[in-house]
Amino acid sequence: RYALGTTPRRKRGTVCIFPGRAEFIERYFETISDLTKRGFCVAIIDWRGQGGSERRLKNPLKGYVSSFSKYDLDLETFMRQIVLPDCPPPYFALAHSTGGHILLRSLSKHTWFECAAMSSPFIDIGQRFWPRPVITLAARLAVATGLGRVWVPGEGRRLLTPADYPANRLTSDLGRFTRTTRILAEHPHLGSAGPTFRWLRAAVSSINRLSRMPGTGSPRCPVLFITAGLDRVVSTQASRAFAQRVPNVACVTVEGARHEILNEKNELREQFWAAFDSFIADRRETPRPAGAPAPLDRVAGLPQR
């Protein structure tokens, strides 16, 4: 499933949005509005197994993927069959969390984007009760013993509700948190809950792959990490270390923000957009063809492969 949004007034190119795990297109309507006001067309995807895309398990709430190479296929299909034919260049990327992780996997191979900004990128697992080696071993053993479709202990097994706000790790903005829960209450088919051991095993394997950068290749366009100072979902420290180690990657931190900076309070979101605007400002801008459609003109399913 994907959506396209364009603006007829300014011609700055297309921003491709790559959401995080368990997210869905509707969560990004405010961000899409922010981008169209800046003169960008927008293209956004629901990854397989979440949002309005196909689910693989009988319980649709379970986060499941056999390998992150499946996400690579989603990204390549989206770019080659949707963005490149239908959206005006130049192309920019805006990714969040797991979406940033998936995008990083592709940036050493492809040159689609002028640059890529990543909100709270998933470079490594954040604060958990289990040490990282224990998580890795548990995921491997669970998959090896046929428990790959079982929930990871300690992760949510239901959709978010307003009652979850006080203990949530995502945002300190009550209004934006409640907006998400309202969408889920009205359209529960869009929601996802915690990951399975098979998802976790795939994630750990992909984390190990990213840890070998730049030996496996550096991003072929400039990348900016915008991390959250109070992130307890992914490791901000790992993002900073990655940016220090890998060429073409820079990192800034929004202090006081939780994991979802784009769903944070206005003063924190403004810091994100200031960093984004500064990062984009020096990039090449090319007029798009005339006759582009109106904002959010298409929501559809990706071709199945």
Side-chain angles (χ1 to χ4, degrees), residues 27 161-168 170-182 258 260 263-268:
R27 293 201 75 204
T161 70
D164 296 313
Y165 173 75
N168 93 89
L170 304 178
T171 175
S172 60
D173 188 284
L174 175 60
R176 291 186 171 95
F177 183 89
T178 304
R179 179 180 63 195
T180 295
T181 61
R182 184 169 61 248
R258 299 184 193 177
E260 294 184 350
N263 280 321
E264 266 290 4
K265 296 176 180 178
N266 288 340
E267 57 268 28
L268 300 175

Side-chain angles (χ1 to χ4, degrees), residues 193-253:
T196 58
F197 275 112
R198 192 67 187 90
W199 188 97
L200 182 61
R201 175 67 183 89
V204 168
S205 177
S206 191
I207 288 169
N208 291 336
R209 170 177 164 174
L210 287 189
S211 71
R212 294 192 293 272
M213 284 189 174
T216 55
S218 302
R220 299 176 70 180
C221 72
V223 174
L224 176 65
F225 289 171
I226 305 175
T227 60
L230 300 181
D231 204 327
R232 294 190 293 128
V233 177
V234 302
S235 171
T236 295
Q237 181 179 358
S239 294
R240 290 170 177 163
F242 186 96
Q244 291 176 348
R245 182 180 80 249
V246 178
N248 237 10
V249 181
C251 183
V252 298
T253 299

Side-chain angles (χ1 to χ4, degrees), residues 4 14 16 43 75-92 110-113 289:
L4 301 179
T14 300
C16 299
L75 192 153
E76 185 166 347
T77 302
F78 177 62
M79 292 303 300
R80 294 192 185 280
Q81 300 193 29
I82 305 301
V83 176
L84 298 179
D86 295 345
C87 301
Y91 304 114
F92 307 89
H110 299 292
T111 56
W112 292 317
F113 302 107

Side-chain angles (χ1 to χ4, degrees), residues 86-132:
D86 295 345
C87 301
Y91 304 114
F92 307 89
L94 174 56
H96 172 65
S97 194
T98 302
H101 184 112
I102 298 166
L103 182 59
L104 279 171
R105 290 170 57 95
S106 76
L107 289 182
S108 63
K109 299 182 294 182
H110 299 292
T111 56
W112 292 317
F113 302 107
E114 296 290 313
C115 60
M118 302 184 184
S119 161
S120 305
F122 174 36
I123 304 301
D124 202 350
I125 298 167
Q127 297 179 16
R128 292 290 190 275
F129 295 110
W130 300 352
R132 166 71 183 285

Side-chain angles (χ1 to χ4, degrees), residues 63-66 68 122 124-125 128 130-153 155 195-208:
Y64 178 89
V65 75
S66 59
F68 272 39
F122 174 36
D124 202 350
I125 298 167
R128 292 290 190 275
W130 300 352
R132 166 71 183 285
V134 175
I135 293 175
T136 301
L137 179 61
R140 289 176 176 171
L141 288 176
V143 171
T145 55
L147 300 177
R149 300 188 176 197
V150 173
W151 298 100
V152 173
E155 299 293 335
T196 58
F197 275 112
R198 192 67 187 90
W199 188 97
L200 182 61
R201 175 67 183 89
V204 168
S205 177
S206 191
I207 288 169
N208 291 336

